[in-house]
Each structure stands twice: as structure tokens, then as C-alpha cells.
Amino acid sequence: LGEPRSREYRAAARALHHVWGIEPVYIREGGTIPVTAALERLFGAPAVHLSLSQASDNAHLENERMSLKALYRAKQTVKRFFTELAVELGLAPPAE
């Protein structure tokens, strides 16, 4: 289910804050990827799910969509996440 105090979640929180300008909200909902726990065990690595769209995007429903602004920010967030994760792992200096 994820551990918000883990280095992966700390990196994700910093990335989300950097790109979106707000603190992330941790909620446990969804379940569209039930294989996640098996993949974590198989690869020996935690999974971090980042919801990068809005409820109004109708995920997995008719007329599913994502605004271009949200898509662009999603790309920025993922890029920043890997930068922040490198910092957490001691592979890079703190991001600017």
C-alpha cells in the first residue's frame, strides 16, 4: 500500500510540490493495478503510484481524457521524481 515516510514517497512529494505548487494528499483509493504487490515482490522494489490527473478526467470511463496542461505537468512531475529519487539515494546533490 505504500509507505509515505519512505524515500520513494519523500521524492514523489517533493516532485509534486515542485511542479504543482501544493503538498500532495495521501489517499488510498483505486485498485486498478492489483498486480502491484506481486511486482514489488518480484523486483524487490517499492511502487509509487502518482495520480496526475483530475477526477473530472473520467479515468477508465467513457470520454476518458486528460488536459494538455495536466499532461505537461505529469511529464514534469515524473522527470522531477527521478531527480529527487537520485537525491534520496545519495546519487545526486539536492535539486534546485
Side-chain angles (χ1 to χ4, degrees), residues 52-60 62-67 70:
L52 299 169
S53 62
Q54 299 175 335
S56 62
D57 290 342
N58 290 336
H60 311 303
E62 255 185 71
N63 299 319
E64 182 174 11
R65 63 191 169 278
M66 185 177 205
S67 73

Side-chain angles (χ1 to χ4, degrees), residues 6-20 23-24 26 48 50 75-96:
S6 71
R7 59 188 179 192
E8 294 81 13
Y9 272 77
R10 288 193 308 262
R14 286 196 308 273
L16 288 163
H17 184 266
H18 177 81
V19 175
W20 296 86
E23 294 299 321
Y26 298 98
V48 176
L50 297 172
K75 177 184 170 186
Q76 290 177 302
T77 302
V78 171
K79 183 177 176 180
R80 184 67 181 216
F81 168 71
F82 284 113
T83 299
E84 296 292 350
L85 186 56
V87 171
E88 283 288 338
L89 296 173
L91 301 173
E96 296 177 7

